[in-house]
Amino acid sequence: MKLLTTITTPILLPHWSQDVILTIPRIVCGYLLAFDFGAAKFGMPWSPEENNLGLFEVAFWFPNDVAEYGGIFAFFPVFFAWMGAFAEAVGGLLLLFGLQTRIASFLIICTMLVAIFMQQINNGMWNCLPAMGFLWVALFYFILGSGRLGCDYLLTGKKSSV
């Protein structure tokens, strides 16, 4: 339990205004991952109806894309497709609310590294930019946590300052 509390407790910046400003990228990226990128390939209540996805169901085409990466992805494409889509949709939602921010950030980091190096790198650097942006934001919040304006701060009630 102590480990979970340590992982959950955010690092607070010296002034609350800094936490307010640094909350903006967390909310924007969490929203984009959960409601745009993730919802298109993972069944959520707000997924587009034309995708015809049940709750927590992966889009039919996604495991085939994952299998094309080769290696271990070819052996377990459904598992990795589900994990990637889950990390985007549910991890994005957790990032949006600042709930278990470091765990969600870790999942997003893993997913974005796969997206960059297994999917987009052959299409040029320009196509890697969205995944790189999400990667850097997730890395930042993996280190700091949610800040004062997240559920993690409310749940732990502890102040760990820089």
Side-chain angles (χ1 to χ4, degrees):
M1 195 65 167
K2 183 168 172 59
L3 177 65
L4 186 60
T5 304
T6 303
I7 291 171
T8 304
T9 304
I11 295 173
L12 304 181
L13 299 174
H15 302 286
W16 67 268
S17 60
Q18 294 169 323
D19 278 321
V20 170
I21 291 169
L22 292 176
T23 298
I24 296 169
R26 179 175 57 80
I27 291 173
V28 169
C29 287
Y31 176 81
L32 288 173
L33 280 170
F35 291 91
D36 189 20
F37 291 95
K41 56 185 100 139
F42 193 68
M44 299 298 281
W46 51 84
S47 292
E49 286 190 29
E50 60 269 12
N51 291 9
N52 198 25
L53 295 171
L55 187 63
F56 299 140
E57 181 182 1
V58 176
F60 71 93
W61 53 267
F62 195 44
N64 296 330
D65 282 2
V66 171
E68 290 178 9
Y69 302 161
I72 193 168
F73 297 103
F75 289 113
F76 307 105
V78 174
F79 171 75
F80 285 111
W82 196 90
M83 288 300 294
F86 177 86
E88 287 182 9
V90 177
L93 199 59
L94 293 173
L95 192 66
L96 172 68
F97 291 115
L99 180 62
Q100 293 303 327
T101 307
R102 289 190 176 101
I103 295 170
S105 294
F106 176 75
L107 294 174
I108 293 167
I109 288 168
C110 293
T111 301
M112 292 306 128
L113 286 171
V114 170
I116 292 167
F117 292 109
M118 303 304 286
Q119 182 184 28
Q120 296 296 340
I121 198 76
N122 294 330
N123 299 326
M125 193 58 67
W126 190 256
N127 289 330
C128 294
L129 288 179
M132 286 179 177
F134 289 124
L135 173 71
W136 287 112
V137 169
L139 186 60
F140 178 79
Y141 290 105
F142 180 74
I143 295 168
L144 284 183
S146 68
R148 283 183 179 94
L149 300 176
C151 292
D152 289 345
Y153 177 72
L154 297 173
L155 290 174
T156 59
K158 295 184 180 183
K159 297 182 180 187
S160 175
S161 301
V162 173

